[in-house]
Amino acid sequence: MTTTAITNIGSLVTNDPALGDGSPLGLIENAAVVIDGGTVAWVGPADKAPAADESFDARGRAVIPGFVDSHSHLVFAGDRTAEFNARMSGRSYSAGGIRTTVAATRAATDAELEANLLRHLDEARRQGTTTFETKSGYGLTVADEARALRIAAAHTEEVTYLGAHIVSPDYAEDPAGYVDLVTGEMLTACAPHARWVDVFCEKGAFDGDQARAILTAGAAAGLIPRVHANQLSYGPGVQLAVELEAASADHCTHLTDADVDALAQAADTTVATLLPGAEFSTRAQWPDARRLIDAGATVALSTDCNPGSSYTSSMPFCIALAVRDMRMTPDEALWAATAGGARALRRSDVGTVTPGARADLALLDAPSHVHLAYRPGVPLVSAVWQRGVRAV
């Protein structure tokens, strides 16, 4: 099997304190990485690198782990430009806009949905994302939810059943009937194609009792819970996520002290995944990452890429927002976008550059990872390796 050495790395982020300077990022200056097949075989100072079959000169630039985007909604059709334009002109965001995408997604062919998914995955990869999670949730019928998951599962192992995105328009007068569908026939059809089960626990979507029933049924079918929690208002989502040992509570915008304490106590189990693209795109209150980090919670960053409330696939953009508006340091934001996302997906093989990890790396056209926040909007990712193969 061919080995490749990436040499002359000015600054390498490993996310392993034992390998580098002792910081959470495990920084190594003047470093090298050796890739063997699809995994990292060696990491250390460039002058001690073992011989390899091929080499790539990083020319003093920074290398980071590939981004781990643990929350996205990429199986959809249609466009919501008009809604965004209206919102930027003064109309507030609510959960109901999802229905527009539901109609377009139902009308799309499988080929159209897959083509759109692949376009967004390529877009994300060119910006350094090498692991991504994506959800159903724009079909809201048994057949449409199942096909969304089948399409997603062909391109990622991190697939989430989100039949409980909103109450289907078909059940507008019978929310209880829709919960029965989501926990019954729809779950049976969807569970074989998914790893996770999610619910939008929010006013205008599903209340705490409904969310509990959906997540419990999903867990009984072998799916691991995640929760859209406390995005638009205070509510039971975070507490429910912690109680059910969900892998993540996502959004976490409106938190009580009890919510923050619960996430801190559950730091090894439930990750607080923050999605600043949503706040940017809806002019909403920013999540307070500093409050969560200082309390001891584990924090991840993700794009929430979706056509309605966060139409960005750029993890670097989300890092810049987190540093500027959520009070994270550049080091914290990068860790959250890599190792934090891996924690939210309960993965130990991604989000790091360590021996035995999957060889997912991004080369920055900059001397340091700090430039991701220092130079917002600049396309700094100049090369990407995914499973050891040069992808960009």
Side-chain angles (χ1 to χ4, degrees):
M1 191 173 292
T2 302
T3 57
T4 301
I6 304 174
T7 63
N8 195 20
I9 300 170
S11 176
L12 172 66
V13 174
T14 69
N15 283 338
D16 184 344
L19 285 179
D21 61 356
S23 72
L25 292 188
L27 288 169
I28 304 176
E29 304 297 326
N30 302 313
V33 175
V34 176
I35 298 170
D36 187 353
T39 61
V40 175
W42 184 90
V43 172
D47 60 1
K48 296 182 180 180
D53 299 319
E54 300 176 352
S55 66
F56 178 93
D57 186 353
R59 295 189 285 118
R61 293 173 290 177
V63 170
I64 63 173
F67 296 122
V68 181
D69 192 346
S70 62
H71 183 128
S72 72
H73 304 251
L74 299 181
V75 185
F76 70 88
D79 182 88
R80 285 160 68 180
T81 303
E83 177 189 323
F84 176 80
N85 191 34
R87 189 164 62 242
M88 292 301 102
S89 301
R91 189 175 76 197
S92 63
Y93 171 68
S94 69
I98 294 167
R99 294 180 181 87
T100 303
T101 303
V102 169
T105 302
R106 289 180 179 181
T109 66
D110 289 10
E112 288 168 339
L113 293 177
E114 184 170 43
N116 196 47
L117 169 67
L118 290 173
R119 179 171 67 86
H120 287 95
L121 293 184
D122 180 65
E123 183 179 273
R125 190 178 296 110
R126 285 185 276 111
Q127 297 173 90
T129 297
T130 51
T131 303
F132 68 95
E133 176 271 0
T134 200
K135 310 175 193 293
S136 66
Y138 290 128
L140 310 185
T141 67
V142 173
D144 284 306
E145 287 296 291
R147 73 165 178 154
L149 295 173
R150 284 196 304 270
I151 290 168
H155 302 285
T156 179
E157 59 269 58
E158 303 299 346
V159 180
T160 301
Y161 168 47
L162 184 59
H165 203 177
I166 59 168
V167 173
S168 169
D170 307 324
Y171 285 79
E173 304 304 318
D174 185 17
Y178 187 64
V179 172
D180 288 342
L181 182 68
V182 169
T183 58
E185 181 185 357
M186 186 183 288
L187 174 60
T188 299
C190 290
H193 309 292
R195 183 183 180 203
W196 310 95
V197 59
D198 199 347
V199 60
F200 191 5
C201 185
E202 187 61 69
K203 293 176 182 176
F206 298 89
D207 65 25
D209 290 339
Q210 293 168 327
R212 181 190 302 279
I214 291 161
L215 295 171
T216 301
L223 304 180
I224 308 168
R226 329 180 65 79
V227 184
H228 280 62
N230 301 51
Q231 177 187 4
L232 307 178
S233 61
Y234 294 98
V238 163
Q239 296 291 337
L240 185 61
V242 171
E243 176 193 335
L244 297 182
E245 297 186 348
S248 64
D250 297 26
H251 288 289
C252 295
T253 307
H254 298 274
L255 301 180
T256 65
D257 289 343
D259 293 332
V260 174
D261 289 344
L263 288 167
Q265 291 296 316
D268 292 333
T269 305
T270 303
V271 173
T273 299
L274 309 183
L275 311 170
E279 278 69 41
F280 176 87
S281 298
T282 60
R283 287 182 175 162
Q285 172 184 320
W286 297 101
D288 191 343
R290 181 84 271 130
R291 183 185 179 198
L292 285 162
I293 293 169
D294 289 349
T298 300
V299 171
L301 285 175
S302 187
T303 64
D304 191 20
C305 186
N306 75 83
S309 60
S310 183
Y311 201 10
T312 179
S313 59
S314 174
M315 290 289 274
F317 176 63
C318 291
I319 286 172
L321 292 179
V323 171
R324 169 62 178 82
D325 293 302
M326 288 163 42
R327 301 199 293 159
M328 298 181 84
T329 68
D331 284 13
E332 289 168 342
L334 178 61
W335 188 94
T338 52
R343 293 272 191 96
L345 294 176
R346 295 186 174 167
R347 297 277 295 270
S348 60
D349 61 327
V350 297
T352 64
V353 182
T354 55
R358 203 166 80 176
D360 292 350
L361 308 96
L363 174 71
L364 304 182
D365 193 13
S368 165
H369 66 280
V370 177
H371 281 234
L372 291 166
Y374 180 45
R375 304 194 70 205
V378 177
L380 294 178
V381 174
S382 59
V384 175
W385 287 262
Q386 190 170 28
R387 299 178 185 266
V389 176
R390 178 80 182 269
V392 174

